[in-house]
Amino acid sequence: MHTPILVPSLLAGDHANLAASASKVEQLGLKWLHLDIMDGHFVPNFTFGPEVLAALRRAGSTLYFDTHLMLDEPERYIEAFAKAGASNISIHIEPDYDHAAALSRIRDVRCQCGIVINPGTPARAIEHLLPLVDLVLVMTVQPGFGGQSFRRDMLPKLTQLSTWRKARGLNFRLEVDGGIDPVTAAECRAAGTDTFVAGTSFFKAPDQAAFAAAFAKL
Ligand code: DX5
Ligand code: ZN
């Protein structure tokens, strides 16, 4: 079992000063930063591209860049995000492309790889890919926007995935994303989750150190 980690999502940071938002995360002693990449097609919104990752690296960030690609054709952008400084690249199962080949390309460019499933997609859709990934990201909201409510009906999916992980001797991190705060994180933790993305709840927390400490105790 992996130790639980809090992964702040930069989507809820200050887009006029993303380096300051990232360094706040680093100053708290956290190790991972979640980066949401949206293309206006797979999801109805835009965020930022590889240039922003590269700029954060130039500004000195040594955080583990957990890169969540919400793109119709993620396989076209693997090299660009790896070159820009991604540590992990996670790709969705829903668009039609060769998922296994894309995961292998992510490894070829020396990044860790993850597979992501939307709320409407059952766990069995990614079952065949589980031995190939470092991380499975279960969306606990419909992707595209921060600040939505946690979907409690995703808990059985988390239980299913953590049961398969144990039964098959696999070692992927199980990550949740969307509507996560200390209360919903505890529910996900009970279902086997170890990696907790938090955007709004982290950046709006009046005391971010106390907020991070709550996750360390999960
Ligand atoms: C949503 C993104 C999330 C987002 C979560 O499409 O994938 O990473 O930042 O935001 P909160 O934590 O506010 O639900
Ligand atoms: Zn995300």
Side-chain angles (χ1 to χ4, degrees):
M1 192 78 159
H2 296 281
T3 47
I5 52 170
L6 167 63
V7 187
S9 172
L10 200 57
L11 181 63
D14 177 0
H15 285 242
N17 200 349
L18 291 172
S21 296
S23 83
K24 194 177 287 178
V25 171
E26 210 151 354
Q27 280 159 21
L28 287 170
L30 299 170
K31 304 291 182 213
W32 283 37
L33 183 69
H34 187 77
L35 296 143
D36 288 304
I37 314 300
M38 305 185 187
D39 67 351
H41 287 272
F42 180 66
V43 289
N45 200 3
F46 299 94
T47 51
F48 37 73
E51 277 310 318
V52 168
L53 276 72
L56 292 170
R57 288 291 185 221
R58 280 198 301 276
S61 182
T62 59
L63 291 164
Y64 180 96
F65 283 178
D66 177 35
T67 313
H68 176 192
L69 301 187
M70 283 161 273
L71 310 177
D72 264 347
E73 299 179 292
E75 75 282 11
R76 291 179 57 189
Y77 301 96
I78 290 166
E79 281 76 12
F81 280 99
K83 202 167 162 216
S87 307
N88 173 79
I89 298 177
S90 294
I91 54 178
H92 273 259
I93 190 70
E94 291 82 10
D96 185 21
Y97 59 96
D98 187 339
H99 304 98
L103 291 168
S104 142
R105 259 169 82 186
I106 295 171
R107 286 204 189 284
D108 288 346
V109 293
R110 296 174 193 279
C111 289
Q112 294 197 293
C113 63
I115 192 78
V116 193
I117 45 173
N118 276 343
T121 307
R124 66 171 182 280
I126 57 165
E127 195 176 352
H128 61 297
L129 298 173
L130 297 179
L132 307 181
V133 298
D134 301 294
L135 180 145
V136 171
L137 171 50
V138 173
M139 292 308 300
T140 43
V141 297
Q142 189 62 27
F145 300 90
Q148 305 180 74
S149 298
F150 174 72
R151 296 255 317 240
R152 202 153 267 114
D153 56 333
M154 295 300 106
L155 291 170
K157 194 189 283 186
L158 294 168
T159 303
Q160 171 74 87
L161 287 161
S162 63
T163 302
W164 282 339
R165 175 172 60 181
K166 193 168 178 204
R168 298 170 192 186
L170 298 170
N171 196 37
F172 56 81
R173 277 192 169 272
L174 185 53
E175 183 176 54
V176 284
D177 183 10
I180 299 300
D181 60 24
V183 173
T184 56
E187 294 179 47
C188 296
R189 179 71 179 151
T193 305
D194 43 59
T195 308
F196 303 90
V197 176
T200 310
S201 62
F202 172 81
F203 280 101
K204 291 236 165 92
D207 181 345
Q208 286 169 327
F211 184 92
F215 279 80
K217 286 197 211 101
L218 281 173

